[in-house]
Amino acid sequence: MMQRVEPSYIFSEEQVAARSDIARRFLHARTRLNENVHKVDNFLVKRFYNLDHNTYLEGALPAKYKELMGLVASACLRCDDCINYHIIQSYRLGVSRAEQEEAINVAMVVGGSIVIPHLRRAYELLTELYG
Amino acid sequence: MMQRVEPSYIFSEEQVAARSDIARRFLHARTRLNENVHKVDNFLVKRFYNLDHNTYLEGALPAKYKELMGLVASACLRCDDCINYHIIQSYRLGVSRAEQEEAINVAMVVGGSIVIPHLRRAYELLTELYG
Amino acid sequence: MMQRVEPSYIFSEEQVAARSDIARRFLHARTRLNENVHKVDNFLVKRFYNLDHNTYLEGALPAKYKELMGLVASACLRCDDCINYHIIQSYRLGVSRAEQEEAINVAMVVGGSIVIPHLRRAYELLTELYG
Amino acid sequence: MMQRVEPSYIFSEEQVAARSDIARRFLHARTRLNENVHKVDNFLVKRFYNLDHNTYLEGALPAKYKELMGLVASACLRCDDCINYHIIQSYRLGVSRAEQEEAINVAMVVGGSIVIPHLRRAYELLTELYG
Amino acid sequence: MMQRVEPSYIFSEEQVAARSDIARRFLHARTRLNENVHKVDNFLVKRFYNLDHNTYLEGALPAKYKELMGLVASACLRCDDCINYHIIQSYRLGVSRAEQEEAINVAMVVGGSIVIPHLRRAYELLTELYG
Amino acid sequence: MMQRVEPSYIFSEEQVAARSDIARRFLHARTRLNENVHKVDNFLVKRFYNLDHNTYLEGALPAKYKELMGLVASACLRCDDCINYHIIQSYRLGVSRAEQEEAINVAMVVGGSIVIPHLRRAYELLTELYG
């Protein structure tokens, strides 16, 4: 089995929240809702959260590219919460704005113009994060 | 504007076709159908094909990671033809089997068990390509 | 033809609205928007609403399981309004919280992590309804 | 209520089948499978088939544009059977090849490159029908 | 190559915004977010926006039917922003309310009840625009 | 934690395969492809398969209703392999044909006419299984 290790984040969630209002509101709402989910303690939900966590660890592919893949998947499946999450995670791992834009371009071309409203909102978050 | 350059392929389509029956049949059918599309010479289709080609060139992100992102998008949107195409392109760029599997895992976790039948077929192609 | 009968609700929409703010706001907005739709009186829309109503009546399957199936479909197609609606309907038919969670788990596993933001919001409604 | 009338077809299904092998095989398989569905006589399925039939009649919009809208919906939701069906129906109503291509372009741009494999197959049918 | 020309709009965006609060808020948000996207000047995004613009010009099909096809695609892929956009564009090109409703019916029947919450919101916009 | 137990199957996969050609071919192909997946022994894939298995065990909801929920999810996400799988599993658990049809009706109404080609194929399998 491939050795899996936690990635090294350059920025904490708090630092991201301090830089961007969109990120701060997203992280706050996500934490609040997740606390409710964790309190319920559903066996399969916990297992799925754990599986999800393991998917993005360092492995054969560097964690930063897997976060960008999560961004591509989220953008072409069109989930703003998931897009925000993976943009923030990629930012925390040192991904550049140009790299984030190229990942979003893959989603835009594969997923079509229906992705554009999400791209517009993603760019707003990118602008807050990268200035 | 970011300088964009064609990626350097390690293997030609012919070499891929010689290694794998699935790849050969896919590439053959794709070429045949594309010849018909090109003959028609629809302005917007040509423009879209061109845009699509530009998306996967070397850029801020290495071409091999963008092909894997195309694979993730294709797998979570569940298109076998697109999955085959990006697996073959990634293989041609020197991506390892473990890297391909990790990209597919991102699609599986984001997209759920509905991705599994495509994963099964993708693994069959991976086994033919990587032995 | 299978005899179809209206299910017996344990709770009225008003009782649900009194228990949960999320439900109340959802039901209020839905009623307001539906009044506009009904005023327009489009023939095919009326037919579709009627077909939709008939789908969830008591039949070969008890209504409560069909509402839960509507919940699964809504969650894996990722529509918060539809998720809210079927959670409320299931609650009104006496479905337990554990049963609602298991239905959502099917949607989570089939539909993947892209369903999770909807699961988080669904759990918030479940907590308001079941306390 | 809007008066709804059956559209006037320029070509019968038999004439379409005589022109195109793809169309013939599709229509044959569809007829065979539909016979099995009709034999079962499920109330809601019959109602849905009826609703579906009514959707494409002459109305505020000419039937030919609604068939092309069905084609756009089918292409961006990526269902080859549905794409074949609406291309054939449009052809039977006298839609030109250029009109069919423009409808498919809307689906390609809204739905992205994931639509391309279906476009390739659609073009093969178009070439058989329009020569 | 087919000659492509800009359609003639009966109403400006300003006139639409003056008629409908929903349209005004949508157009305002869209303009604000697009300004941020244009400032970034990403090559592929610009190319995609350009391709998208060309898709809806007058051509083999009148622009008004292509806007309605964009509406059908947006409704069955379930994107409120895109639905609003194509309803507004269709309105600006003189499409009647009955024509808009028939296009939405195609999306409802092809896409199912999951489209209904979007139909409800679309009808609210239609009522503001057509009174 | 909820006690989870394996459901009691009335029919084995072999008995199903003996009754239906479609089922036999599906189960054979699935087994062959899964053997290749298992040989690869990817950690996350194994974890996902395990999670998937646990989702359909007896629990707060009887296994047979969860298999039907898997069928609804598969039909509205439009995956023939998954539809076949859950029809077979439901059959093995003693679900009646009328119950299977009602579950498919939920998917048809939620997911729209795009589900119909899959319904047609599902009915062919149902007819082979239930005669």
Side-chain angles (χ1 to χ4, degrees):
Chain A
M1 195 194 97
M2 176 80 41
Q3 188 67 19
R4 283 165 187 284
V5 296
E6 294 285 334
S8 298
Y9 292 105
I10 296 171
F11 302 113
S12 68
E13 288 199 350
E14 290 68 29
Q15 287 174 304
V16 173
R19 255 192 105 66
S20 156
D21 264 4
I22 297 169
R24 186 177 47 72
R25 267 178 281 123
F26 165 72
L27 290 167
H28 179 80
R30 186 171 176 276
T31 300
R32 184 180 65 76
L33 289 168
N34 262 345
E35 279 166 7
N36 184 43
V37 173
H38 293 314
K39 220 159 41 195
V40 174
D41 201 30
N42 182 292
F43 172 62
L44 285 172
V45 173
K46 276 195 308 184
R47 291 275 292 265
F48 198 100
Y49 272 57
N50 187 273
L51 182 61
D52 183 70
H53 178 77
N54 273 277
T55 306
Y56 299 98
L57 297 182
E58 300 290 350
L61 290 169
K64 73 174 235 183
Y65 291 117
K66 283 192 281 197
E67 288 295 348
L68 286 174
M69 286 169 189
L71 172 56
V72 170
S74 302
C76 67
L77 290 173
R78 298 185 289 121
C79 169
D80 282 330
D81 274 11
C82 315
I83 292 170
N84 285 342
Y85 178 73
H86 289 293
I87 286 178
I88 290 169
Q89 288 291 96
S90 299
Y91 178 78
R92 293 179 58 203
L93 290 167
V95 169
S96 72
R97 174 166 185 151
E99 289 172 316
Q100 299 238 26
E101 287 182 18
E102 288 205 358
I104 294 169
N105 282 347
V106 172
M108 172 187 73
V109 169
V110 177
S113 71
I114 209 87
V115 172
I116 299 280
H118 305 272
L119 177 148
R120 280 197 279 262
R121 291 188 282 270
Y123 268 50
E124 201 180 23
L125 173 55
L126 290 178
T127 298
E128 287 191 6
L129 289 174
Y130 293 93
Chain B
M1 194 193 96
M2 176 78 41
Q3 188 68 20
R4 281 164 189 283
V5 296
E6 295 285 333
S8 298
Y9 293 104
I10 296 172
F11 302 113
S12 67
E13 289 199 350
E14 290 69 30
Q15 288 174 305
V16 172
R19 256 192 106 66
S20 155
D21 264 5
I22 297 170
R24 185 176 49 72
R25 268 179 279 123
F26 165 72
L27 290 168
H28 179 80
R30 185 172 176 275
T31 300
R32 184 180 65 76
L33 290 167
N34 262 344
E35 278 167 7
N36 183 43
V37 173
H38 293 314
K39 221 158 42 195
V40 174
D41 201 30
N42 183 293
F43 172 61
L44 286 172
V45 173
K46 276 194 308 185
R47 290 276 291 267
F48 199 99
Y49 272 58
N50 188 272
L51 182 62
D52 183 71
H53 178 78
N54 274 278
T55 306
Y56 300 98
L57 297 181
E58 301 289 350
L61 290 169
K64 72 174 236 183
Y65 292 117
K66 284 192 281 197
E67 288 296 345
L68 287 173
M69 286 169 190
L71 173 56
V72 170
S74 302
C76 67
L77 290 172
R78 298 185 289 119
C79 169
D80 282 330
D81 275 11
C82 314
I83 291 170
N84 285 343
Y85 178 73
H86 289 292
I87 286 178
I88 290 169
Q89 288 293 94
S90 300
Y91 177 79
R92 293 180 59 204
L93 290 166
V95 169
S96 72
R97 176 167 184 150
E99 290 172 316
Q100 299 239 27
E101 288 182 18
E102 288 205 357
I104 293 169
N105 282 346
V106 172
M108 172 187 74
V109 169
V110 177
S113 71
I114 208 87
V115 172
I116 299 280
H118 304 271
L119 177 147
R120 281 198 278 261
R121 291 189 282 270
Y123 267 50
E124 201 181 24
L125 173 55
L126 290 178
T127 297
E128 287 192 5
L129 288 174
Y130 293 93
Chain C
M1 196 195 97
M2 175 79 41
Q3 187 67 18
R4 281 165 189 284
V5 296
E6 294 286 333
S8 298
Y9 292 104
I10 296 172
F11 302 112
S12 67
E13 288 199 350
E14 290 66 31
Q15 287 173 304
V16 172
R19 256 191 106 66
S20 155
D21 263 4
I22 296 170
R24 186 177 48 71
R25 268 178 281 123
F26 165 72
L27 289 168
H28 178 79
R30 186 171 176 276
T31 300
R32 183 179 65 76
L33 290 167
N34 262 345
E35 279 166 6
N36 183 42
V37 172
H38 292 314
K39 219 159 41 194
V40 174
D41 200 29
N42 183 291
F43 172 62
L44 285 172
V45 173
K46 277 196 306 184
R47 290 276 291 266
F48 198 99
Y49 272 57
N50 187 273
L51 182 61
D52 183 70
H53 178 78
N54 274 277
T55 306
Y56 300 99
L57 297 182
E58 301 289 350
L61 290 169
K64 73 174 235 185
Y65 291 118
K66 283 193 281 198
E67 287 296 346
L68 287 174
M69 286 170 189
L71 172 55
V72 170
S74 302
C76 67
L77 290 172
R78 298 186 287 120
C79 169
D80 282 330
D81 275 10
C82 314
I83 291 170
N84 285 342
Y85 178 74
H86 289 293
I87 285 178
I88 290 169
Q89 288 292 95
S90 299
Y91 177 79
R92 294 180 58 203
L93 290 167
V95 169
S96 73
R97 175 166 185 150
E99 289 172 316
Q100 298 239 27
E101 287 182 19
E102 287 205 359
I104 294 169
N105 281 347
V106 172
M108 172 187 73
V109 168
V110 176
S113 71
I114 209 86
V115 173
I116 300 279
H118 304 272
L119 177 149
R120 279 197 279 262
R121 291 189 282 269
Y123 268 49
E124 202 181 23
L125 173 55
L126 290 179
T127 297
E128 287 191 5
L129 288 174
Y130 293 92
Chain D
M1 194 195 99
M2 176 79 42
Q3 186 68 18
R4 281 164 189 284
V5 297
E6 294 285 334
S8 298
Y9 292 105
I10 296 172
F11 302 112
S12 67
E13 288 199 350
E14 289 68 29
Q15 287 174 306
V16 173
R19 256 192 105 67
S20 156
D21 263 5
I22 297 169
R24 187 177 47 72
R25 268 178 280 123
F26 165 72
L27 290 167
H28 178 80
R30 185 172 177 275
T31 300
R32 184 179 65 75
L33 290 167
N34 263 344
E35 279 167 7
N36 183 42
V37 172
H38 292 315
K39 219 157 44 193
V40 174
D41 201 30
N42 183 292
F43 172 62
L44 285 172
V45 173
K46 276 196 308 185
R47 289 276 292 265
F48 199 100
Y49 271 57
N50 187 273
L51 182 61
D52 184 69
H53 178 77
N54 274 277
T55 305
Y56 299 98
L57 298 181
E58 301 290 350
L61 290 169
K64 73 173 236 184
Y65 292 118
K66 283 193 280 196
E67 288 295 347
L68 287 174
M69 287 170 187
L71 172 56
V72 171
S74 302
C76 67
L77 290 172
R78 298 185 287 119
C79 169
D80 282 329
D81 275 11
C82 314
I83 291 170
N84 285 343
Y85 178 74
H86 289 293
I87 285 178
I88 290 169
Q89 288 292 95
S90 299
Y91 178 79
R92 293 180 60 203
L93 290 167
V95 170
S96 73
R97 174 165 186 153
E99 290 172 316
Q100 300 239 27
E101 288 182 18
E102 288 205 357
I104 294 169
N105 281 347
V106 172
M108 172 187 75
V109 169
V110 176
S113 71
I114 208 87
V115 172
I116 300 281
H118 305 271
L119 177 148
R120 279 198 279 262
R121 290 189 282 270
Y123 267 50
E124 201 180 24
L125 173 56
L126 290 178
T127 297
E128 287 192 5
L129 289 174
Y130 293 92
Chain E
M1 195 193 97
M2 176 77 43
Q3 189 67 19
R4 282 166 188 283
V5 297
E6 294 286 333
S8 297
Y9 293 105
I10 296 172
F11 302 113
S12 68
E13 288 199 349
E14 289 67 31
Q15 288 174 304
V16 173
R19 255 192 105 67
S20 156
D21 264 5
I22 297 170
R24 187 177 49 71
R25 267 178 280 122
F26 166 72
L27 290 168
H28 178 79
R30 185 171 177 275
T31 300
R32 184 179 64 76
L33 290 168
N34 262 345
E35 279 167 7
N36 183 42
V37 173
H38 292 315
K39 220 157 43 194
V40 174
D41 201 29
N42 182 293
F43 172 62
L44 286 173
V45 173
K46 277 194 308 183
R47 291 276 291 266
F48 198 101
Y49 271 57
N50 187 273
L51 182 61
D52 183 69
H53 178 79
N54 274 277
T55 305
Y56 300 97
L57 297 182
E58 301 290 350
L61 290 169
K64 73 173 234 184
Y65 292 117
K66 283 192 281 199
E67 288 296 346
L68 287 173
M69 286 169 188
L71 172 56
V72 171
S74 302
C76 67
L77 290 172
R78 299 186 286 121
C79 169
D80 283 329
D81 274 10
C82 313
I83 291 170
N84 285 343
Y85 178 74
H86 289 293
I87 285 178
I88 290 169
Q89 288 292 96
S90 300
Y91 177 79
R92 293 180 59 203
L93 290 167
V95 170
S96 72
R97 176 166 184 151
E99 290 172 315
Q100 299 240 26
E101 288 181 18
E102 288 206 356
I104 294 169
N105 282 348
V106 172
M108 172 187 73
V109 169
V110 177
S113 71
I114 208 86
V115 172
I116 300 280
H118 304 272
L119 177 149
R120 281 198 277 262
R121 292 188 282 269
Y123 267 50
E124 200 180 26
L125 173 55
L126 290 178
T127 297
E128 287 192 5
L129 288 174
Y130 294 91
Chain F
M1 196 195 97
M2 176 78 43
Q3 187 68 16
R4 282 164 189 284
V5 297
E6 294 284 333
S8 298
Y9 292 104
I10 297 172
F11 302 112
S12 67
E13 288 199 350
E14 289 68 30
Q15 287 173 305
V16 172
R19 256 191 105 66
S20 155
D21 264 5
I22 297 170
R24 184 177 49 71
R25 267 177 281 122
F26 165 72
L27 290 167
H28 178 80
R30 185 171 176 276
T31 300
R32 184 180 64 76
L33 290 167
N34 262 346
E35 278 166 6
N36 184 41
V37 172
H38 292 316
K39 218 157 46 192
V40 174
D41 201 30
N42 182 293
F43 171 62
L44 286 172
V45 173
K46 277 195 307 184
R47 289 277 292 266
F48 199 100
Y49 272 57
N50 187 273
L51 182 61
D52 184 70
H53 178 78
N54 274 278
T55 305
Y56 300 98
L57 297 182
E58 302 289 350
L61 289 169
K64 72 174 236 183
Y65 291 118
K66 283 192 281 198
E67 288 295 346
L68 287 174
M69 287 170 188
L71 172 56
V72 171
S74 302
C76 67
L77 290 172
R78 299 184 288 120
C79 169
D80 283 329
D81 275 11
C82 315
I83 291 170
N84 286 342
Y85 178 73
H86 289 293
I87 285 177
I88 290 168
Q89 288 292 96
S90 300
Y91 177 79
R92 293 180 60 204
L93 291 166
V95 170
S96 73
R97 176 167 184 151
E99 289 172 316
Q100 299 239 26
E101 287 182 19
E102 287 205 359
I104 294 169
N105 281 347
V106 172
M108 172 187 73
V109 168
V110 176
S113 72
I114 209 86
V115 172
I116 299 280
H118 304 272
L119 177 149
R120 280 197 278 262
R121 290 188 283 269
Y123 267 50
E124 201 181 24
L125 173 55
L126 290 178
T127 297
E128 287 192 5
L129 289 174
Y130 294 92

